[in-house]
Amino acid sequence: MVSLISFLKVEVRPAGIIALRSLPQSKMRNAFHYPPPSTLIGALAYPLLHIAGDRTETLEPKRNARSSADRIRPLIEWATVKVSERPRVYGSILKINRLHRGSVESAVTSFPMAVMYGKSDYTLTLLYLLNDDLIGASEFSVKDFERAAWGISRLGSRESVVSVESVELRKGRIMEKEMAETAYAFPLSGKKVQGSGVVQGVVDWREGIGNYSKARIIVMFYPEGKAEVEGRLKVIDVGEEVVL
């Protein structure tokens, strides 16, 4: 029996900048090169929760603060991304003036960002694997996810404006293989990789989206082009491509 899973493929075009600050961090701020899974879920959660009439930004703010994106977290099996070109990380030094109760305060801070300039056809493809059973028992439908995907407007911070170019909702086959080729980011643990790419540590969003001070870290591999991967792999066919 062939196992199938719904997937949502969303192609977006950045306006020029994606500012993806790594958390937690101190005054020495860092930026991600690529959107981590938690950022991808947050991008979809904003328009999806609007469909339900929910404008809440934070859950349980006085106890265990979590992002409202945590509401839809169980409905998504996995979220990953494919990027057509590698961005570069830049840092700007900003001076901040603050007026508070008649006194003026001044400070200098850094503002790291992943910059995407110079490519008119620069795109990111966001890929969501959906939990069909949990969605069927929720207030949402799979079609709501497709509708919400058209409403994605940013990745992470407010500077990271994107426009949605296409949305595809289909079923993919779940297979087990020992070797596969993929252009989508995947967890690196237990795999042998051939091909160039960026290794990036991200928080394990499956433990919750919100306070990451004690979150477990997953090491992800973001291919530049395609990578050949060996190991005990669970592969999902998403059209002419696969994700791990």
Side-chain angles (χ1 to χ4, degrees):
M1 182 176 178
V2 178
S3 297
L4 300 175
I5 186 171
S6 295
F7 70 84
L8 191 64
K9 185 185 292 187
V10 187
E11 185 176 12
V12 302
R13 190 180 303 276
I17 294 174
I18 54 170
L20 304 166
R21 260 78 77 183
S22 173
L23 295 173
Q25 58 181 293
S26 63
K27 292 183 179 180
M28 182 60 182
R29 302 183 184 184
N30 297 314
F32 286 124
H33 280 80
Y34 300 100
S38 56
T39 295
L40 303 179
I41 294 173
L44 183 62
Y46 182 75
L48 184 62
L49 293 176
H50 271 51
I51 291 176
D54 187 351
R55 301 294 197 271
T56 305
E57 293 185 1
T58 306
L59 305 177
E60 301 181 56
K62 294 183 179 180
R63 299 180 63 186
N64 181 25
R66 293 173 291 129
S67 167
S68 59
D70 203 57
R71 276 190 57 194
I72 74 162
R73 174 181 53 83
L75 308 181
I76 298 175
E77 290 282 356
W78 182 243
T80 185
V81 65
K82 176 181 71 172
V83 183
S84 63
E85 298 288 341
R86 180 181 180 180
R88 294 185 178 182
V89 172
Y90 289 87
S92 299
I93 302 298
L94 303 179
K95 183 176 182 181
I96 299 174
N97 293 316
R98 177 173 176 261
L99 181 63
H100 180 64
R101 295 181 180 178
S103 62
V104 178
E105 301 175 1
S106 181
V108 175
T109 186
S110 61
F111 184 79
M113 62 188 74
V115 180
M116 300 179 173
Y117 286 134
K119 291 286 185 178
S120 60
D121 60 346
Y122 199 109
T123 59
L124 298 90
T125 304
L126 321 182
L127 198 290
Y128 302 89
L129 300 178
L130 307 180
N131 189 317
D132 294 294
D133 293 335
L134 290 184
I135 291 175
S138 74
E139 61 189 298
F140 302 105
S141 67
V142 174
K143 283 293 184 180
D144 287 332
F145 277 78
E146 181 181 25
R147 177 185 169 194
W150 285 106
I152 293 175
S153 58
R154 61 187 176 93
L155 295 176
S157 65
R158 63 182 180 271
E159 300 90 1
S160 311
V161 177
V162 298
S163 61
V164 177
E165 301 291 310
S166 65
V167 174
E168 181 182 355
L169 176 63
R170 293 175 58 186
K171 292 277 190 179
R173 294 178 298 160
I174 302 175
M175 302 170 287
E176 292 186 358
K177 292 187 175 183
E178 295 183 357
M179 181 177 293
E181 186 179 65
T182 185
Y184 289 89
F186 56 87
L188 187 57
S189 178
K191 302 176 180 68
K192 182 179 179 181
V193 180
Q194 289 188 355
S196 60
V198 172
V199 175
Q200 181 173 283
V202 303
V203 298
D204 188 350
W205 57 272
R206 293 166 295 189
E207 298 180 355
I209 298 177
N211 185 350
Y212 299 139
S213 59
K214 298 181 180 180
R216 189 168 70 92
I217 300 299
I218 303 174
V219 178
M220 298 277 291
F221 186 87
Y222 291 79
E224 295 175 358
K226 291 185 177 182
E228 293 184 359
V229 188
E230 295 182 34
R232 298 181 61 182
L233 310 175
K234 181 174 286 188
V235 176
I236 295 87
D237 180 1
V238 290
E240 298 179 356
E241 303 174 295
V242 300
V243 298
L244 309 183

